[in-house]
Amino acid sequence: MSDAILSLKNVATDIAQYHILHDVSFDVPRGKVTMLLGRNGAGKTTTLRTVMGLWAARAGQVMFNGEDIAAQPPARIARKGLAIVPEDMGIFGDLTVQENMALAAVSGPIAADRLELIFTAFPPLKTFWDMPAGNLSGGQKQMLAVARAMAEDRQLYLIDEPSKGLAPAIVSTLVWAMKSLKGAGASILMVEQNFAMARALGDYAAVMDDGRIVWTGTMDELANDTALQENLMGLSMEVA
């Protein structure tokens, strides 16, 4: 894709003696939301972690803005404008919400307009700003995890199952926040099992199975074809 912010080309990743990713190739278009879908254990989280340098690719290229970052350490990759929101949230429970946010803002204090965007998206974070993050509810911790990635202006967000275990109202808040990031020009690569959220946010989709990309296309094409969903993922993902 000519205007891809991220391109994986024949990427293979091993974890210990296990071969997890096999010849993975797909593009993430600039300024769009790409959903990475598939069954549990398909390799989706490993793909995000490989892009961020948390797992080293054994083979292939991870091209970000035309530069191969596959062999670079996570800190250097982050400074290029990438951020990851891991499935386990990655927050520090003993630190306050404010301290968690400060740690995420590596370039200095969070800009006032950025902080206002975060508080607009996630009002509880303002309410509990000076409280230990460990005291937050599960949904509020997920808000904090996403807000940490939003602390600075990033070009690409890697987000792993942000809606997992959350109430519908909080999922709607997350959808609004992601749309705000996209509206500001950011690109997003998201792993998500909630198909309603995937359909609401996604412009494009890549489907994984057994560590391989088995289909790429528009989110609308996948969402409107239940037979394709069943063929790719073994189930229909229709949403009432």
Side-chain angles (χ1 to χ4, degrees):
M1 184 174 294
S2 60
D3 196 28
I5 190 170
L6 179 74
S7 293
L8 277 68
K9 300 181 178 181
N10 308 114
V11 171
T13 301
D14 301 338
I15 299 178
Q17 72 270 32
Y18 301 103
H19 304 304
I20 307 299
L21 301 185
H22 311 274
D23 200 33
V24 169
S25 299
F26 69 96
D27 292 334
V28 175
R30 191 178 305 276
K32 304 294 183 181
V33 179
T34 300
M35 310 304 301
L36 187 58
L37 306 173
R39 299 178 178 90
N40 288 334
K44 305 182 299 295
T45 294
T46 300
T47 300
L48 297 190
R49 292 177 64 86
T50 299
V51 171
M52 201 67 205
L54 299 169
W55 291 114
R58 170 173 52 83
Q61 295 178 305
V62 179
M63 306 297 295
F64 177 68
N65 282 328
E67 177 189 0
D68 188 1
I69 61 172
Q72 298 186 20
R76 183 179 298 174
I77 292 172
R79 287 194 291 269
K80 294 180 184 298
L82 288 84
I84 189 168
V85 180
E87 184 182 359
D88 63 3
M89 304 182 196
I91 65 172
F92 299 94
D94 293 336
L95 301 182
T96 66
V97 171
Q98 180 180 10
E99 289 167 340
N100 270 272
M101 292 297 297
L103 286 175
V106 295
S107 299
I110 302 172
D113 59 343
R114 199 74 178 172
L115 199 56
E116 187 59 32
L117 171 64
I118 290 169
F119 287 155
T120 299
F122 308 123
L125 299 186
K126 186 174 185 179
T127 302
F128 301 115
W129 191 241
D130 295 315
M131 290 183 59
N135 293 353
L136 300 178
S137 70
Q140 290 163 352
K141 288 176 181 176
Q142 188 62 279
M143 292 180 187
L144 177 57
V146 175
R148 279 169 49 86
M150 296 171 60
E152 295 186 348
D153 189 19
R154 313 288 188 177
Q155 295 184 56
L156 176 62
Y157 294 85
L158 311 171
I159 305 176
D160 197 356
E161 293 200 49
S163 73
K164 187 175 182 179
L166 300 186
I170 298 176
V171 172
S172 296
T173 298
L174 288 174
V175 169
W176 184 91
M178 303 304 166
K179 287 183 175 179
S180 297
L181 288 176
K182 176 185 167 183
S187 309
I188 298 173
L189 175 60
M190 181 184 299
V191 171
E192 185 51 67
Q193 298 284 11
N194 182 330
F195 197 66
M197 184 173 185
R199 187 168 64 178
L201 278 173
D203 299 297
Y204 296 93
V207 180
M208 296 196 79
D209 190 29
D210 195 25
R212 295 174 171 85
I213 297 295
V214 295
W215 183 88
T216 59
T218 68
M219 192 67 222
D220 282 346
E221 182 181 356
L222 181 60
N224 294 326
D225 191 335
T226 55
L228 180 61
Q229 297 164 22
E230 291 168 353
N231 180 52
L232 293 172
M233 292 174 280
L235 73 164
S236 171
M237 304 180 79
E238 284 186 310
V239 181

